[in-house]
Structures are given as C-alpha cells and as structure tokens.
Amino acid sequence: MSLLHNGNNQLLLFDLDVTGHHPGYIQHLVKYWCIYEIQGNLNVVVSARFIGLHADVVNVASEFGSTNVNFVPISLEEEASLKPKDSPLNRAYRAFQEWNLLGKYTGLLKPNHCLLMYYDGLQFPLSWRANFPCSLSGIYFRPVFHYSDFPEFIPSWRERFWQWRDKFILSRTLRNANFNTLFCLDPFVVDYIDIFSQQVRAVPLPDPVQIYNYPDSQLEKLREQLEIQPNRITFLMFGAFRKRKGIEQLLDAVALLPSHICHQFCLLFVGSVAAEPLVYKRLDEIAQSLPVQVVKHEQFVSDQEIQPYFQIADVILAPYQRHIGMSAILVRAAAAQKPVLSSNYGVMGEIVKRYRLGLTVDSTSPMEIAKGITQFLSEEPSQFCNFSSMRDFAEQNSAEKFATTVFQHI
C-alpha cells in the first residue's frame, strides 16, 4: 500500500553511512514527507556522527514545522564497535553488526515498514535471516550480475565471482517473506530481478539530484573567483579524488597530450584529494611542466552549491575505474546541458550511450582518455550529445520523482 494513502504510517529509514549520496537521499525523503504532510511517524536511524555532520538534513522537518519526523542516532558505543569497511571480511562482519542494530531499533520504535537505504550492505544477513517484525524494502545500488549483457563488458575472474555471489544472495533475499520491494538505481536490472521472484516488486528508482537555479551574474563571479583563464575549455572533475574515480589515469592522459592541445583547456578539480596525497604532487608537476591550466578548489561543497560548478564547465569528467552502479555526476551534467567524458563500463557507459550524454572511453587506458579530451577540443558538443535527451534524463532523475517513487511503492 502506498504511504500516501495510509493514515497509520510508522516508517523507519535505516542508514548508518554519513557520506556520499546517503545524506541527500534522506533529505529528499524527509522533505517530501513534510511537504505532503504524510500521516504517521517517520523515524530515521542514523549514526551518531550523522547528527553533527548533517545538521541541515536533521533540521529539515523543523523548517516545515513538522513534529512527526525523528532522527534516532545509534549510541556512541554502538558506532565505535562497527567494523570499518576496509576488507571483504570486515564488510561481511559489519553487515551482521548493522543487521543486529536494525533489529534492536526496529524493536524499540515498532515501525510497520522499514526501508533499508543501502540494501547492498545488508543483503547477506537478510538472505539468511527469515523472521523480522515488520515488512522491508531496500534500495539496490550496485547490481553486477547482468553486466555480461552489456556489449563491451569482459568480466575478470573477480567480477565473475561477484556475479555468481549476487545472483545467489538475491535469489535467497527475494524468498524472504518480509521483503516486498527492491528499488533499483540501475534501471537495466529490473527485468532480471523480475525473473527471480513474483513476490518482490523490482522498481526502477531515479538517482536523485536537487537542482537549484543560479543567475548568470553569480556564475560569472564564480569563474572570476576560480581565475579560469579566458578562451580555455574547462574540464571539471568533481568529488573525492580517489583511485577508483580514475584520477591517476586522467593525469597520465594529460601528460600524453601535445603542447598545443594543453594550451586549449583548463582542468578544474572541485572536491577533496586528502585521501590520495600523491595527487597533489602530480597536479603540481603537470601545472609546472605543461601549458594546461590546473585549478584546485579543495573544500566541501554543500548540495545547494554544487550545480554552479557544472554550469561553468564545458565538459564533465567521469573516468571511473570499472565502477559498478550509477553516478549522480551523469544527472548533474545532463541538468547543466554539459557533455561527459565517461567510462564505457557497466551501467554508466550504457546510460551515456543510450541517452547520448557525451563520449565513452576505456577509462583504464590513459591513451583513450587523451583521445577523448582531444576529440572534445576539436569537435562541437552536438557531435556527441542529444541535448533534448539529456534534458529528459535529468528530469527523470529529479529529487521529487525519487521521493514520489519510494512513497508510492512501500
């Protein structure tokens, strides 16, 4: 039954992660709950750190004058005991730790439905524990078992194992009598899940982005603050610059470019490189040895302030390394009507190609990335993009549609 038409809602959101998409997803759901004055109670179980780091999310309900939304942090002791997600063994152990915490807080708060905001992290214990005091649904981020049907996918032995593992665990999860809806951020996996089960609904879920409008004068001010040189084509890389995002392959690609190409563009890095300190050294070396302009803006950027960086850029970089799942980078780029240079791997590659969002390359190869950069500098964006299709893709992944989909199917 849709929560929009149920007067006795006792809903629990469970999410112990504090970074990335997690705060934004919770914010979208809380905001929707308040705007549409859904009856009942919404309890959000989060880590103790979440309360301090994301006061803007925690305060959404009070801004709307809503009194039926409650953030419930786990205890500091419980949080301290959680294993880090730094190895397969620790991730597996943590999954059962989180499952036990879910059981504890479900017992305390007594919801009639619980939404697992990150199903992937709890799927293993869920597949083995049959009994639960309320119905469950979950958001599935990174299915991989269907990637073999993508034209350019050549699985490694590790990926073959992941595919077998995911099929096995999913088949068990979908037999759980308490589980009723699996929301899928990968739209291509829904038909495959329907084959596994007639009991559990598989629902494609938008990857939500809240777009805020900024006047041209503010965008021009941002360009000036960043000191981007005139007549440069700006390539933006946004987020935490970890190895899996392809930062090393990108820098290797730039080093391959001839001088006359480097003169034409600016590399704009917005986000944190603290996790990869050697990136600083590489960036400085490139800035000193090549005529490419390198601009670093290393600081946290709030959700409301992100989109202007996409608007002032000419090309958005997403050279992720064999990344499983979607990325909001694609949605933000499409909303700004800017082409992406993306990995050709998995669902990201498929979406870029099907919606004509830009160019896809083998992002494990610096040479292929360099070819892509050169192509953007020598051809018009209309050669790679369908701007109408980009607009449609962005609209399909609005925060409003994300929240509407969730509340209509749980």
Side-chain angles (χ1 to χ4, degrees), residues 175-235:
R175 292 200 296 268
N176 190 310
N178 299 107
F179 204 79
N180 60 30
T181 307
L182 188 59
F183 297 100
C184 304
L185 289 166
D186 180 337
F188 306 124
V189 78
V190 171
D191 291 341
Y192 296 85
I193 293 174
D194 286 340
I195 296 172
F196 281 100
S197 173
Q198 299 301 312
Q199 169 192 317
V200 176
R201 294 170 296 177
V203 177
L205 184 66
D207 194 356
V209 169
Q210 180 70 57
I211 301 299
Y212 304 89
N213 294 319
Y214 283 81
D216 291 342
S217 59
Q218 197 162 346
L219 299 180
E220 187 57 38
K221 183 178 179 181
L222 179 60
R223 285 192 189 92
E224 293 174 0
Q225 289 174 342
L226 295 170
E227 298 182 347
I228 296 173
Q229 296 170 4
N231 302 319
R232 294 257 188 184
I233 302 298
T234 304
F235 287 73

Side-chain angles (χ1 to χ4, degrees), residues 146-156 159 322 342-354 359-364 368:
H146 63 306
Y147 276 22
S148 292
D149 285 351
F150 294 158
E152 298 183 61
F153 180 73
I154 302 175
S156 65
E159 288 162 335
R322 300 186 79 80
S342 167
S343 164
N344 62 7
Y345 179 86
V347 67
M348 281 184 66
E350 285 300 301
I351 284 177
V352 172
K353 285 181 281 190
R354 295 193 189 193
L359 281 177
T360 63
V361 298
D362 176 3
S363 60
T364 64
E368 293 303 309

Side-chain angles (χ1 to χ4, degrees), residues 81-99:
S81 71
L82 290 173
K83 288 285 186 182
K85 299 180 181 180
D86 56 2
S87 71
L89 184 61
N90 278 350
R91 285 192 291 272
Y93 188 84
R94 179 179 172 126
F96 282 95
Q97 288 182 301
E98 291 199 14
W99 179 260

